[in-house]
Amino acid sequence: MKGKFISLEGGEGSGKSTAIDFIQRWLESHKVPFIMTREPGGTPFSEEIRQLVLSSREEKVNDTAELLLMFAARAQHVAEKIKPAIDQGTWVVSDRFIDSSYVYQGDARGGSTQILDQLTEWAVGDYHPDATLLLDVPVDVGQQRVLQRKYQDRLDKESSLFHQKVRDGFLERARLNPHRIRIIDASLPLEDVIAQIEKQLEALVQSWSGGI
Ligand SMILES: Nc1ncnc2c1ncn2[C@@H]1O[C@H](COP(=O)(O)OP(=O)(O)OP(=O)(O)O)[C@@H](O)[C@H]1O
Ligand SMILES: [Mg+2]
C-alpha cells in the first residue's frame, strides 16, 4: 500500500514548523512509518537550491528565475525522496509544497497559473498531497511571530501587501480544493491549534483506512 502524503501550508510565522513537531510525535505514537521533509529543499541538491533562492542579496531576483528554481528543487525532491517513500508505503509530511508555489510565485508575484499547472504536472506528476493543512493567521500576527527570530530570509522581508496576497491566495486555494485543504485557525493559542490539527489527523486516517 502506498504511503499518504500530507503537506503543511501557510504564511511566514503561521506555525508550520511548530505543527510539524506535533505531527511527528502523533505519527510516532500511532506507529506510522513516515519521513518529514520541507520545500524548497528536502534533498541535499534541493537544499542547495533553497539556499540560493532564499538568501538575501543585493541583486534583484527575477520572478521567473525564482519560480523555475522552486520547481527545479521540487522535481529533484519528488523524484529522489517523496516518490520512493510513498511507493514503499512510507508517509510523507512536507513543510510547504505546491500550494506555496501557486500562492508565492503565482498570486503574490503574478506568475501564470497555466505555467504553474504545466510545471506541476511535469515535476510532481501523480505525487500530489492527499491532504493539506493550511495554517491561517492574519498577516500582522505572523509577522510579529517571525520578528522574534533573528534570521529573516528574502521572502520574509517582503512587504505586508505581498504577505496579504499570500494569505488571500492560500484561502482561495482552500476554497477551490475544499476536500484536500483543511483550514486551521492558527491565530489561536498553540494548544488550540494543536487540538485542531489532531482532530484533522484523526478524521483523515479514519477516511483513508477506517483507522490506522
Ligand atoms: N499558535 C501560536 N501562538 C503563539 N505563537 C506561536 C504559535 N504557533 C507558533 N508560534 C511561534 O511563532 C513563531 C513562528 O512559528 P513557526 O516557526 O512554527 O512558523 P512557520 O510557519 O514555520 O514560519 P516560517 O514560514 O517562517 O518557517 C515561533 O516562535 C513559534 O514558537
Ligand atoms: Mg518554518
Side-chain angles (χ1 to χ4, degrees):
M1 245 213 352
K2 286 197 168 196
K4 292 294 179 187
F5 182 8
I6 300 173
S7 60
L8 271 285
E9 297 280 8
E12 267 75 10
S14 55
K16 297 177 298 298
S17 303
T18 311
I20 290 254
D21 289 345
F22 168 75
I23 294 173
Q24 177 157 1
R25 290 196 303 277
W26 192 89
L27 291 171
E28 277 164 5
S29 72
H30 287 77
K31 308 225 175 328
V32 176
F34 68 94
I35 55 166
M36 314 297 296
T37 189
R38 68 170 181 179
E39 287 216 338
T43 79
F45 182 75
S46 302
E47 288 287 329
E48 285 190 38
I49 300 176
R50 179 189 180 96
Q51 283 297 321
L52 200 60
V53 84
L54 291 184
S55 57
S56 299
R57 57 184 74 240
E58 295 281 303
E59 182 180 354
K60 177 178 173 355
V61 176
N62 173 264
D63 293 348
T64 306
E66 178 182 292
L67 186 153
L68 291 172
L69 282 171
M70 292 293 189
F71 275 91
R74 177 165 305 136
Q76 179 75 5
H77 187 205
V78 171
E80 297 301 320
K81 189 168 183 182
I82 294 177
K83 180 177 184 300
I86 290 176
D87 288 351
Q88 67 171 36
T90 301
W91 288 31
V92 174
V93 180
S94 187
D95 188 338
R96 296 191 180 282
F97 198 61
I98 38 168
D99 298 298
S100 282
S101 290
Y102 278 91
V103 165
Y104 283 81
Q105 282 73 49
D107 299 315
R109 298 247 194 253
S112 137
T113 305
Q114 202 189 346
I115 288 175
L116 287 161
D117 285 345
Q118 286 172 353
L119 288 171
T120 301
E121 169 71 32
W122 205 20
V124 175
D126 293 334
Y127 291 82
H128 282 260
D130 297 293
T132 298
L133 302 179
L134 170 58
L135 295 166
D136 178 54
V137 281
V139 170
D140 54 335
V141 176
Q143 283 182 330
Q144 271 313 114
R145 288 183 189 169
V146 290
L147 275 179
Q148 292 157 14
R149 271 201 313 244
K150 277 192 221 109
Y151 176 72
Q152 302 262 298
D153 70 32
R154 195 170 59 80
L155 297 186
D156 289 333
K157 289 180 187 158
E158 286 285 351
S159 66
S160 295
L161 176 64
F162 178 90
H163 290 292
Q164 189 62 50
K165 287 183 186 167
V166 167
R167 184 188 186 198
D168 295 345
F170 275 129
L171 289 172
E172 176 63 6
R173 283 190 66 75
R175 199 181 65 75
L176 296 174
N177 301 278
H179 185 69
R180 173 175 63 88
I181 304 181
R182 315 286 170 100
I183 301 174
I184 306 288
D185 180 353
S187 64
L188 298 174
L190 188 55
E191 66 215 55
D192 298 333
V193 174
I194 300 289
Q196 292 175 73
I197 293 170
E198 185 164 31
K199 204 168 141 209
Q200 289 294 344
L201 290 174
E202 279 163 3
L204 285 169
V205 294
Q206 200 63 39
S207 73
W208 287 335
S209 63
I212 296 182

